[in-house]
Amino acid sequence: MIDAKDKMRVVILTPSKRLLDLSGVSELYFPSEHGALGVLPGHAPMVTAVGTGVVLYSQNDVSGFFKVAGGVAEITGNAVNLLVDVGEEAATIDLDRAKRSLERAEGRLAAKELGNVDVKRAEGSKARALARIEVVNLHTNKHAKDKKSS
């Protein structure tokens, strides 16, 4: 049996909203500037930059998904605070809109030889759109799998 000291509290905050404040989390994965970072209870304290991508957490065999972009993460043993520039819960993301955003970003990148394209901005848009699509797909597949096992 896993007791409370083997769990974490996870908070995800944007400048305008608290997206998540959850105790009892057994594992957390989030994008750092240097790749995906996994955190388990008792993780060494650290502060790191948050990248663009998917946040996955597990609590009592239930998983949750968020898309985040930018910010900072603070890990203190059994607590993780993600202070992110932008964050969205999987259930709130419009998949069609994310796909259109990806198409626009890829179109701008394909036209970069024509000159007046901000490549860094287009690459950022593409990364955010891909993260949104991935989060929705993970969320959708998780719910489909849960329904099959019910």
Side-chain angles (χ1 to χ4, degrees):
M1 178 164 173
I2 298 173
D3 76 33
K5 70 179 180 177
D6 295 324
K7 300 288 183 161
M8 299 179 290
R9 178 175 179 210
V10 175
V11 177
I12 303 175
L13 295 171
T14 70
S16 62
K17 187 175 182 182
R18 181 181 302 262
L19 296 175
L20 181 71
D21 189 342
L22 189 62
S23 295
V25 174
S26 57
E27 60 185 324
L28 173 74
Y29 302 90
F30 67 91
S32 77
E33 294 251 315
H34 304 290
L37 184 62
V39 181
L40 298 173
H43 192 286
M46 69 181 286
V47 174
T48 187
V50 174
T52 297
V54 177
V55 172
L56 164 97
Y57 69 86
S58 294
Q59 179 199 43
N60 300 325
D61 297 324
V62 175
S63 297
F65 307 95
F66 288 84
K67 175 262 177 188
V68 296
V72 66
E74 174 194 41
I75 302 166
T76 56
N78 287 345
V80 179
N81 294 302
L82 298 176
L83 310 171
V84 298
D85 298 331
V86 179
E88 300 170 271
E89 188 173 4
T92 66
I93 296 172
D94 181 336
L95 182 59
D96 290 331
R97 183 175 175 211
K99 287 178 179 178
R100 288 191 306 272
S101 179
L102 177 61
E103 289 172 9
R104 281 191 308 275
E106 288 177 335
R108 286 193 303 269
L109 288 170
K112 68 183 176 188
E113 288 80 29
L114 299 177
N116 59 357
V117 174
D118 185 341
V119 174
K120 189 165 184 111
R121 183 174 174 202
E123 288 172 344
S125 293
K126 181 178 177 180
R128 288 186 298 275
L130 286 169
R132 284 184 181 105
I133 292 166
E134 183 178 3
V135 165
V136 170
N137 288 337
L138 288 167
H139 177 73
T140 302
N141 291 339
K142 171 78 172 107
H143 280 288
K145 188 177 174 183
D146 289 346
K147 286 182 182 179
K148 284 183 183 177
S149 62
S150 301

